[in-house]
Amino acid sequence: MRIVVLAGGTGSAKLLRGLQGEVEEFTVISNVGDNFWHKGLFICPDIDIALYTLAGVADTVKGWGIEKDTFNVLAQLAALGEETWFGLGDKDLATHIFRTVQLSRGRRLGAVTSDLARRLGVRQDVMPCTDDSLETHVVTIEEGVEETLHLQEFWVRKRGQPEVKDVVYVGAEKAVANPKALAALEAAERIILCPANPVTSILPILAVRGFRDAIENSKARRVAVSPMIGFGPVSGPAGKMMKGLGHGSDSLSVARLYKGLLDCMIIDSSDAIQKGAIEREGTQVSLGSTLMSNREKERELASSVLSA
Ligand code: FO1
């Protein structure tokens, strides 16, 4: 079965690992809105967590970077008086240096990502939704002062504290969809939207021209796993962001965001009460266990995504 997965962040990574246990081949279309230039390096968190997870080297405790990594460079940067709010591990830095050098030679992000995947021993296709610049910026209010921050500044440097007034996808209008990603969606028999932050991991992909149409018009079975359990996300700023944009932070609100794109949404059994309302939105609902608290639950959820 030709499977295409839209992914970004830690929840997605767990499902990707679960899928690896169920099927050999699948294509991952990664969000790029988290990407940013930092200390002269081009950092791609959602691409890297997919690559590291599929390579079996992800730090599953922190939820980012490479397992058992050291932070000697960061410590020395601090000793030099540099800001070190973004935790760059020594091995992780090799990825950023490799990617930045390749990009500086004019190679496109998709080609560099494929190269990294191969060198890390990843057998699945992992690709950015676009090779072009697309950054998620958060319009925040803090003590009455409005400030626009890159997602990483908001989430990591400011620990997601400021109030969210808006979220913008800078570059989305000009970004060209990765043709390999559109082709994969065209040929897909199953399209999976991972349990990711809808505002910062899925909507930035859909903001790139071509993706919404490709999914809406696809003949594939389209299944999403809700990132929400109850009235909040399993982890991260999704709830705060959804509310900041005037949405609810439950599965029904996510189903409304993805209206027209899904055949089925898997929600946690504890949210069965929302089933009727979501089905009235035109999306079938399958009840499952969406809290992937161990490897077995990752595989169980992956299995239900493949059969939903
Ligand atoms: N997230 C953090 O909360 N703190 C960090 O210090 C941090 C470092 C980091 C380094 C490389 C990388 O690829 C991701 C990193 N992340 C960190 C996660 C990153 O902020 C993600 O974009 C978000 O967690 C959302 O996916």
Side-chain angles (χ1 to χ4, degrees):
M1 178 168 44
R2 287 190 295 275
I3 301 159
V4 176
V5 190
L6 269 62
T10 47
S12 302
K14 290 179 178 173
L15 188 62
L16 293 180
R17 189 167 40 232
L19 280 170
Q20 241 184 351
E22 297 296 306
V23 289
E24 179 69 19
E25 294 284 312
F26 51 89
T27 298
V28 180
I29 297 174
S30 175
N31 170 46
V32 297
D34 283 20
N35 295 354
F36 74 136
W37 282 93
H38 185 63
K39 302 210 184 293
L41 298 169
F42 191 56
I43 316 273
C44 302
D46 281 350
I47 290 173
D48 290 351
I49 192 170
L51 290 176
Y52 292 156
T53 299
L54 294 172
V57 299
D59 180 323
T60 52
V61 175
K62 285 202 295 285
W64 41 267
I66 294 175
E67 63 184 352
K68 305 188 190 76
D69 206 348
T70 49
F71 290 80
N72 298 307
V73 171
L74 208 65
Q76 182 61 14
L77 278 169
L80 293 174
E82 282 296 297
E83 282 192 336
T84 57
W85 54 269
F86 197 73
L88 291 167
D90 299 325
K91 289 184 180 174
D92 193 28
L93 275 165
T95 299
H96 309 316
I97 293 166
F98 172 83
R99 178 186 287 124
T100 304
V101 167
Q102 294 294 323
L103 292 172
S104 70
R105 292 175 180 160
R107 293 189 72 204
R108 306 287 278 151
L109 186 59
V112 178
T113 302
S114 299
D115 213 354
L116 268 173
R118 195 164 29 77
R119 292 175 186 219
L120 287 167
V122 174
R123 287 188 309 283
Q124 289 78 24
D125 278 337
V126 178
M127 57 185 72
C129 63
T130 177
D131 285 344
D132 297 325
S133 173
L134 170 57
E135 289 193 358
T136 299
H137 290 191
V138 184
V139 182
T140 66
I141 298 271
E142 209 170 14
E143 283 130 37
V145 177
E146 183 173 307
E147 189 184 10
T148 299
L149 304 168
H150 185 285
L151 173 67
Q152 302 301 344
E153 294 264 351
F154 166 76
W155 176 237
V156 183
R157 191 165 63 82
K158 297 221 163 196
R159 302 190 186 291
Q161 292 305 314
E163 278 316 300
V164 174
K165 186 176 174 223
D166 199 1
V167 177
V168 291
Y169 307 126
V170 178
E173 329 64 58
K174 282 189 292 180
V176 174
N178 181 342
K180 284 187 179 165
L182 292 183
L185 287 169
E186 173 72 28
E189 291 163 293
R190 188 159 291 248
I191 296 173
I192 298 165
L193 272 64
C194 283
N197 183 327
V199 177
T200 61
S201 291
I202 301 295
L203 291 183
I205 298 174
L206 301 178
V208 177
R209 194 177 349 323
F211 281 101
R212 198 175 271 276
D213 288 350
I215 298 170
E216 257 170 22
N217 306 325
S218 168
K219 59 190 183 307
R221 178 79 173 157
R222 305 158 305 166
V223 180
V225 176
S226 175
M228 306 298 182
I229 297 182
F231 290 91
V234 170
S235 68
K240 182 167 196 169
M241 292 199 161
M242 289 282 281
K243 285 183 189 144
L245 296 180
H247 308 298
S249 55
D250 57 1
S251 294
L252 174 58
S253 305
V254 176
R256 286 181 173 142
L257 268 187
Y258 298 160
K259 195 171 177 68
L261 298 175
L262 299 181
D263 299 301
C264 178
M265 174 178 268
I266 299 177
I267 67 174
D268 196 76
S269 307
S270 59
D271 287 333
I273 194 168
Q274 297 185 37
K275 189 170 187 291
I278 295 172
E279 285 175 338
R280 282 192 292 280
E281 293 288 325
T283 302
Q284 296 163 23
V285 171
S286 174
L287 297 178
S289 174
T290 58
L291 186 61
M292 294 178 276
S293 48
N294 59 45
R295 298 297 167 95
E296 193 195 341
K297 283 186 169 292
E298 292 171 359
R299 288 194 56 164
E300 278 167 13
L301 185 56
S303 173
S304 51
V305 160
L306 293 170
S307 56

